Amino acid sequence: MNLVTILAIESSCDETSASVCVDGKILSNFIANQTVHEQYGGVVPELASRAHMQNIVPVVDKAIKEASSTHHSQLTIHDIDAIAFTQAPGLIGSLLVGTQFAKSLALSLNKPLIAVHHMQAHVLANLIDENNRPDFPFLCLTVSGGHTQIVLAKSPLELEVIGQTIDDAAGEAFDKSAKLLGLPYPGGPLIDQYAKLGNPLAFKFAEPQIPELNFSFSGLKTSILYFLQKQEAGFIENNLNDLCASIQYTIVNILLKKVKKAVQQTGVKQICIAGGVSANSGLRTALEEMGKKHGWKTFIPKFEYCTDNAAMIAITAYYKYQANEFCNLDVNPSARAEW
Ligand code: KG4
Ligand code: ZN
């Protein structure tokens, strides 16, 4: 029996990552983070593209070597059956580096090419752990720095967005709130850290009333700003833990209220989360508690599969390979792609 070996590349934002997967089993997932952006308080697209150019060859090389060391026999680039890459959405310059590299490799090795949608891949990261994966259909709350979506997954390749943000993403809500508190970028993990020591009910911030399963976070940011402007000097320093706990509590509440509504609307009780914000301890705990209370089965991928990574691109490509969903060499990346 022939095993399907896939090399996948992710370069949509500021992580360069490569992964090798054999028959749906992830053998390596190498991720190079870009530290160059820290001093600018956000990702600088041009610098991200340049860093991808520098990283891509060593990252792919490391992913293949790591896979070879865990594989039962030596694995080389010639054992790869298909090359997968993130085609959309993301920063166009960053996507271009991964796309061009994947195309060149596919052409030189004469292997098929598989284009993967980054948001679909975030959802399918929940299928990586063969011992703890949801059955279909399931719901996925995808929360990252760029996106906030509720997805109804009917099969690996039948995903429907049933709710999404109309302005900021959940990660942006964390990062922008953190900025108002004077914390460095990305502030999400810092809010999480301080929140552990604070009282989530100390301060109350506005929760938006948005119809259907959609989200909005821009009002929360304004509410925090106005609240802070009314306070005396030293207020933030003296109340940092309580402020972070209250902000986190509000964001988690906004997210989980809509998840509850999605369960009521669809009747689906298997709930996954994905994306960088699913690392948030407040969200993880609240989701698990809500799951116990309402009889849901909840799934949270390992941290390395929550933030941007190529393993999720590889697992998605594995399903596309089985469905014969290949693309031509004239494929182009897209910054914004319809789902
Ligand atoms: O999925 P991701 O790594 O990259 C994107 O595709 O955007 O998500 C990054 C986002 C950032 O906004 C970051 O602040 C947020 O995830 N984040 C967190 C935590 N860890 C990462 N937000 C809250 N709590 C965390 N522990
Ligand atoms: Zn992402």
Side-chain angles (χ1 to χ4, degrees):
M1 198 182 76
N2 270 345
L3 297 177
V4 178
T5 303
I6 289 170
L7 168 69
I9 292 157
E10 152 67 32
S11 71
S12 65
C13 188
D14 61 340
E15 270 97 18
T16 322
S17 179
S19 168
V20 174
C21 118
V22 175
D23 260 10
K25 194 173 177 331
I26 302 297
L27 296 191
S28 64
N29 180 38
F30 193 83
I31 304 169
N33 295 303
Q34 303 181 358
T35 49
V36 59
H37 310 287
E38 274 164 18
Q39 54 186 309
Y40 301 102
V43 177
V44 184
E46 179 57 28
L47 296 181
S49 317
R50 290 186 206 180
H52 283 306
M53 300 265 277
Q54 284 177 339
N55 291 340
I56 195 135
V57 172
V59 164
V60 168
D61 197 42
K62 283 218 169 71
I64 293 172
K65 286 199 176 115
E66 203 178 301
S68 186
S69 68
T70 51
H71 200 239
H72 48 83
S73 63
Q74 276 284 314
L75 193 147
T76 73
I77 202 155
H78 300 284
D79 298 310
I80 307 277
D81 296 305
I83 322 278
F85 66 99
T86 306
Q87 187 243 336
L91 300 172
I92 193 67
S94 295
L95 288 166
L96 263 169
V97 178
T99 307
Q100 283 309 114
F101 185 86
K103 283 200 223 182
S104 314
L105 203 57
L107 182 66
S108 61
L109 297 173
N110 196 23
K111 300 289 180 187
L113 196 57
I114 302 174
V116 172
H117 194 288
H118 183 86
M119 299 311 295
Q120 179 180 9
H122 267 304
V123 175
L124 298 192
N126 283 283
L127 302 181
I128 291 176
D129 183 354
E130 55 198 348
N131 300 315
N132 183 34
R133 62 161 77 128
D135 296 321
F136 290 96
F138 65 80
L139 290 172
C140 183
L141 171 70
T142 314
V143 272
S144 73
H147 299 269
T148 301
Q149 296 181 328
I150 299 182
V151 173
L152 172 61
K154 295 176 195 157
S155 77
L157 303 180
E158 276 179 291
L159 308 184
E160 188 191 339
V161 179
I162 57 172
Q164 58 192 321
T165 183
I166 58 167
D167 42 54
D168 289 349
E172 276 176 298
F174 270 106
D175 297 338
K176 288 182 179 175
S177 306
K179 199 172 173 189
L180 293 175
L181 300 177
L183 299 173
Y185 176 87
L190 292 170
I191 292 201
D192 192 354
Q193 195 182 314
Y194 292 118
K196 287 186 181 131
L197 308 167
N199 173 9
L201 303 177
F203 307 108
K204 199 161 167 41
F205 299 112
E207 274 189 38
Q209 303 303 318
I210 305 296
E212 310 295 334
L213 297 173
N214 295 326
F215 304 90
S216 165
F217 290 101
S218 63
L220 170 66
K221 190 186 58 193
T222 315
S223 156
I224 296 169
L225 177 68
Y226 288 169
F227 174 80
L228 293 175
Q229 280 173 347
K230 282 189 290 186
Q231 311 305 326
E232 289 170 0
F235 178 82
I236 294 178
E237 292 73 22
N238 296 331
N239 295 280
L240 189 59
N241 295 341
D242 285 348
L243 281 166
C244 288
S246 302
I247 291 168
Q248 179 168 299
Y249 178 81
T250 312
I251 297 175
V252 169
N253 239 349
I254 294 172
L255 292 171
L256 291 185
K257 268 190 189 157
K258 294 291 175 151
V259 170
K260 194 171 161 197
K261 197 168 175 183
V263 173
Q264 283 163 349
Q265 278 187 13
T266 60
V268 174
K269 291 190 173 179
Q270 295 195 87
I271 320 293
C272 300
I273 52 175
V277 180
S278 53
N280 183 265
S281 51
L283 177 61
R284 294 168 92 99
T285 313
L287 178 72
E288 274 166 10
E289 277 171 8
M290 232 169 145
K292 274 190 206 131
K293 189 170 153 200
H294 297 291
W296 308 342
K297 221 170 157 204
T298 56
F299 301 86
I300 304 175
K302 267 168 70 180
F303 180 70
E304 65 190 282
Y305 302 139
C306 285
T307 49
D308 287 349
N309 68 88
M312 69 184 193
I313 306 300
I315 189 90
T316 307
Y318 173 62
Y319 289 101
K320 290 191 117 180
Y321 187 99
Q322 288 171 312
N324 270 317
E325 284 195 22
F326 301 105
C327 66
N328 294 325
L329 282 171
D330 61 2
V331 64
N332 284 319
S334 166
R336 297 188 176 279
E338 286 309 314
W339 186 261

